[in-house]
Coordinates of all heavy atoms in Angstrom, one line a residue:
M539 N 3.2 -13.6 0.8 CA 3.4 -12.2 0.8 C 4.9 -11.9 0.9 O 5.6 -12.4 1.7 CB 2.7 -11.6 2.1 CG 3.0 -10.1 2.3 SD 2.2 -9.2 0.9 CE 3.0 -7.6 1.2
P540 N 5.4 -11.2 -0.1 CA 6.9 -10.9 -0.1 C 7.3 -10.1 1.2 O 6.6 -9.3 1.7 CB 7.1 -10.0 -1.3 CG 5.9 -10.3 -2.2 CD 4.8 -10.6 -1.2
T541 N 8.5 -10.5 1.6 CA 9.0 -9.8 2.8 C 9.8 -8.6 2.5 O 10.2 -7.8 3.4 CB 9.9 -10.8 3.7 OG1 10.9 -11.3 2.8 CG2 9.0 -12.0 4.1
K542 N 10.2 -8.4 1.3 CA 10.9 -7.2 0.8 C 10.2 -6.6 -0.4 O 9.9 -7.2 -1.3 CB 12.3 -7.6 0.4 CG 13.2 -8.1 1.6 CD 14.6 -8.4 1.1 CE 15.4 -8.8 2.4 NZ 16.8 -9.1 2.0
P543 N 9.9 -5.3 -0.3 CA 10.1 -4.4 1.0 C 9.1 -4.8 2.0 O 8.0 -5.3 1.8 CB 9.8 -3.0 0.4 CG 8.8 -3.3 -0.7 CD 9.2 -4.6 -1.3
P544 N 9.5 -4.5 3.3 CA 8.6 -4.9 4.4 C 7.3 -4.0 4.4 O 7.3 -2.9 3.9 CB 9.5 -4.6 5.6 CG 10.4 -3.6 5.2 CD 10.7 -3.9 3.8
L545 N 6.3 -4.5 5.0 CA 5.0 -3.7 5.2 C 5.3 -2.4 5.9 O 6.2 -2.4 6.8 CB 4.0 -4.6 5.9 CG 3.3 -5.7 5.1 CD1 2.6 -6.7 6.0 CD2 2.4 -5.2 4.1
P546 N 4.5 -1.4 5.6 CA 4.7 -0.1 6.3 C 4.5 -0.2 7.8 O 3.6 -1.0 8.3 CB 3.7 0.8 5.6 CG 2.7 -0.1 5.0 CD 3.4 -1.3 4.7
R547 N 5.3 0.5 8.5 CA 5.2 0.4 10.0 C 4.7 1.7 10.7 O 4.8 2.8 10.1 CB 6.6 0.1 10.6 CG 7.2 -1.1 10.0 CD 6.7 -2.4 10.6 NE 7.1 -3.6 9.9 CZ 6.8 -4.8 10.3 NH1 6.3 -5.0 11.4 NH2 7.2 -5.9 9.6
L548 N 4.1 1.5 11.9 CA 3.8 2.7 12.7 C 5.0 3.3 13.3 O 6.0 2.6 13.4 CB 2.8 2.2 13.8 CG 1.4 1.9 13.3 CD1 0.6 1.1 14.5 CD2 0.6 3.1 12.9
P549 N 5.0 4.5 13.8 CA 6.1 5.1 14.4 C 6.6 4.2 15.5 O 5.9 3.8 16.4 CB 5.6 6.5 14.9 CG 4.5 6.8 14.0 CD 3.9 5.5 13.6
G550 N 7.9 3.9 15.5 CA 8.5 3.0 16.5 C 9.0 1.8 15.8 O 9.9 1.1 16.4
G551 N 8.4 1.4 14.7 CA 9.0 0.3 13.9 C 8.5 -1.1 14.3 O 9.0 -2.0 13.6
D552 N 7.6 -1.3 15.3 CA 7.3 -2.6 15.7 C 6.0 -3.2 15.1 O 5.9 -4.3 14.7 CB 7.1 -2.6 17.2 CG 8.4 -2.3 17.9 OD1 9.5 -2.7 17.4 OD2 8.5 -1.6 19.0
L553 N 5.0 -2.3 14.9 CA 3.7 -2.7 14.5 C 3.4 -2.2 13.0 O 3.8 -1.2 12.6 CB 2.6 -2.1 15.4 CG 2.6 -2.5 16.9 CD1 1.6 -1.8 17.6 CD2 2.5 -4.0 17.0
V554 N 2.7 -3.1 12.3 CA 2.4 -2.8 10.9 C 1.3 -1.7 10.9 O 0.3 -1.8 11.7 CB 1.9 -4.0 10.2 CG1 1.3 -3.7 8.8 CG2 3.0 -5.1 10.0
D555 N 1.4 -0.7 10.0 CA 0.4 0.3 9.8 C -0.7 -0.3 8.9 O -0.6 -0.2 7.7 CB 1.0 1.5 9.2 CG 0.0 2.7 9.2 OD1 -1.2 2.5 9.4 OD2 0.4 3.9 9.0
A556 N -1.7 -0.8 9.5 CA -2.8 -1.6 8.8 C -3.5 -0.6 7.8 O -4.0 -1.1 6.8 CB -3.8 -2.2 9.7
N557 N -3.6 0.7 8.1 CA -4.2 1.6 7.2 C -3.6 1.7 5.9 O -4.2 2.1 4.9 CB -4.2 3.1 7.9 CG -5.1 3.1 9.1 OD1 -5.9 2.3 9.4 ND2 -4.9 4.2 9.9
K558 N -2.3 1.3 5.8 CA -1.6 1.4 4.5 C -1.3 0.1 3.8 O -0.6 0.0 2.8 CB -0.2 2.1 4.8 CG -0.4 3.6 5.3 CD 0.9 4.2 5.7 CE 0.7 5.6 6.1 NZ 2.0 6.2 6.6
V559 N -2.0 -1.0 4.3 CA -1.8 -2.3 3.7 C -2.2 -2.3 2.3 O -1.5 -2.8 1.3 CB -2.4 -3.4 4.5 CG1 -2.5 -4.7 3.8 CG2 -1.7 -3.6 5.9
L560 N -3.4 -1.9 2.0 CA -4.0 -1.9 0.6 C -3.1 -1.0 -0.3 O -2.7 -1.6 -1.4 CB -5.5 -1.5 0.6 CG -6.1 -1.4 -0.7 CD1 -6.2 -2.8 -1.4 CD2 -7.5 -0.8 -0.6
P561 N -2.9 0.3 0.0 CA -2.1 1.0 -1.0 C -0.7 0.4 -1.2 O -0.1 0.5 -2.2 CB -2.1 2.4 -0.4 CG -2.5 2.3 1.0 CD -3.4 1.1 1.0
F562 N -0.1 -0.1 -0.1 CA 1.2 -0.7 -0.2 C 1.2 -1.9 -1.2 O 2.1 -2.0 -2.0 CB 1.6 -1.2 1.2 CG 2.9 -2.0 1.2 CD1 4.1 -1.4 1.1 CD2 2.9 -3.4 1.2 CE1 5.3 -2.2 1.0 CE2 4.0 -4.2 1.2 CZ 5.3 -3.5 1.1
L563 N 0.2 -2.7 -1.1 CA 0.1 -3.9 -2.0 C -0.1 -3.4 -3.5 O 0.5 -3.9 -4.4 CB -1.0 -4.8 -1.7 CG -0.7 -5.7 -0.4 CD1 -1.9 -6.5 0.0 CD2 0.5 -6.6 -0.7
V564 N -0.9 -2.4 -3.7 CA -1.1 -1.8 -5.0 C 0.2 -1.3 -5.5 O 0.5 -1.4 -6.7 CB -2.2 -0.7 -4.9 CG1 -2.2 0.1 -6.2 CG2 -3.6 -1.3 -4.6
K565 N 1.0 -0.6 -4.7 CA 2.2 0.0 -5.1 C 3.3 -1.1 -5.5 O 4.0 -0.9 -6.4 CB 2.8 0.9 -4.0 CG 4.1 1.6 -4.2 CD 3.9 2.7 -5.3 CE 5.1 3.6 -5.3 NZ 6.4 3.0 -5.5
T566 N 3.3 -2.1 -4.7 CA 4.4 -3.1 -4.8 C 4.1 -4.3 -5.7 O 5.0 -4.9 -6.3 CB 4.9 -3.7 -3.4 OG1 3.7 -4.3 -2.8 CG2 5.4 -2.5 -2.6
Q567 N 2.8 -4.6 -5.9 CA 2.5 -5.8 -6.7 C 1.9 -5.5 -8.0 O 1.3 -6.4 -8.7 CB 1.5 -6.6 -5.9 CG 2.0 -7.0 -4.5 CD 3.3 -7.7 -4.5 OE1 3.5 -8.6 -5.3 NE2 4.2 -7.3 -3.6
T568 N 1.9 -4.3 -8.5 CA 1.4 -3.9 -9.8 C 2.5 -3.0 -10.6 O 3.4 -2.5 -10.0 CB 0.1 -3.1 -9.7 OG1 0.4 -1.8 -9.1 CG2 -1.0 -3.8 -8.9
A569 N 2.3 -3.0 -11.9 CA 3.2 -2.2 -12.7 C 2.9 -0.7 -12.4 O 1.8 -0.3 -12.0 CB 3.0 -2.4 -14.2
P570 N 3.9 0.2 -12.5 CA 3.8 1.6 -12.1 C 2.6 2.3 -12.7 O 1.8 2.9 -12.0 CB 5.1 2.2 -12.5 CG 6.1 1.1 -12.5 CD 5.3 -0.1 -12.9
I571 N 2.3 2.1 -14.0 CA 1.2 2.8 -14.7 C -0.1 2.2 -14.1 O -1.0 3.0 -13.8 CB 1.2 2.6 -16.2 CG1 2.5 3.2 -16.8 CG2 0.0 3.2 -16.9 CD1 2.6 4.6 -16.6
L572 N -0.3 0.9 -14.0 CA -1.5 0.4 -13.5 C -1.7 0.8 -12.1 O -2.8 1.1 -11.6 CB -1.5 -1.2 -13.7 CG -2.7 -1.9 -13.1 CD1 -3.9 -1.5 -13.8 CD2 -2.5 -3.4 -13.3
G573 N -0.5 0.8 -11.3 CA -0.6 1.2 -9.9 C -1.2 2.6 -9.8 O -1.9 2.9 -8.8
G574 N -0.8 3.5 -10.7 CA -1.3 4.8 -10.7 C -2.8 4.9 -10.9 O -3.6 5.6 -10.2
F575 N -3.3 4.0 -11.8 CA -4.8 4.0 -12.1 C -5.5 3.4 -10.8 O -6.6 3.9 -10.5 CB -5.1 3.2 -13.3 CG -4.9 3.9 -14.6 CD1 -3.8 3.6 -15.4 CD2 -5.7 5.0 -15.0 CE1 -3.6 4.3 -16.6 CE2 -5.5 5.6 -16.1 CZ -4.4 5.3 -17.0
L576 N -4.9 2.4 -10.3 CA -5.5 1.8 -9.0 C -5.5 2.8 -7.9 O -6.4 2.8 -7.1 CB -4.8 0.5 -8.7 CG -4.8 -0.6 -9.8 CD1 -4.0 -1.8 -9.3 CD2 -6.2 -0.9 -10.1
A577 N -4.4 3.6 -7.8 CA -4.4 4.6 -6.8 C -5.5 5.6 -7.0 O -6.2 6.0 -6.0 CB -3.1 5.4 -6.9
A578 N -5.9 5.9 -8.2 CA -7.0 6.8 -8.5 C -8.3 6.2 -8.1 O -9.2 6.9 -7.5 CB -7.0 7.2 -10.0
G579 N -8.4 4.8 -8.2 CA -9.6 4.2 -7.8 C -9.8 4.2 -6.3 O -10.9 4.4 -5.8
I580 N -8.7 4.0 -5.5 CA -8.8 4.1 -4.1 C -9.2 5.5 -3.7 O -10.1 5.7 -2.8 CB -7.5 3.7 -3.4 CG1 -7.2 2.2 -3.8 CG2 -7.6 3.9 -1.9 CD1 -5.8 1.8 -3.3
L581 N -8.6 6.5 -4.2 CA -8.9 7.9 -3.9 C -10.4 8.2 -4.3 O -11.0 9.0 -3.6 CB -7.9 8.8 -4.5 CG -6.5 8.8 -4.0 CD1 -5.6 9.7 -4.9 CD2 -6.4 9.2 -2.6
A582 N -10.9 7.6 -5.4 CA -12.2 7.9 -5.8 C -13.2 7.4 -4.7 O -14.2 8.1 -4.4 CB -12.5 7.1 -7.1
A583 N -13.0 6.3 -4.1 CA -13.9 5.8 -3.1 C -13.8 6.7 -1.8 O -14.9 7.0 -1.2 CB -13.5 4.4 -2.7
I584 N -12.7 7.2 -1.5 CA -12.6 8.1 -0.4 C -13.2 9.4 -0.6 O -14.0 9.9 0.2 CB -11.0 8.3 0.0 CG1 -10.4 7.0 0.4 CG2 -10.8 9.4 1.0 CD1 -8.8 7.1 0.5
M585 N -13.0 9.9 -1.8 CA -13.6 11.3 -2.1 C -15.1 11.3 -2.3 O -15.8 12.3 -2.1 CB -12.8 11.9 -3.3 CG -11.3 12.1 -3.0 SD -10.4 12.4 -4.5 CE -10.9 14.0 -4.9
S586 N -15.6 10.1 -2.7 CA -17.0 10.1 -3.1 C -17.9 10.1 -1.8 O -19.1 10.3 -1.9 CB -17.3 8.7 -3.8 OG -17.1 7.6 -3.0

């Protein structure tokens, strides 16, 4: 797992915000266009 950029943190800066691990990896490990489609997929599951 790349250390830069670091995983998203909870307020205070000490603990990782686990709720944002999946979207963070989608954002950082995919091309922007594909990342946008994958973002739509995550939102689809939430909204359904």
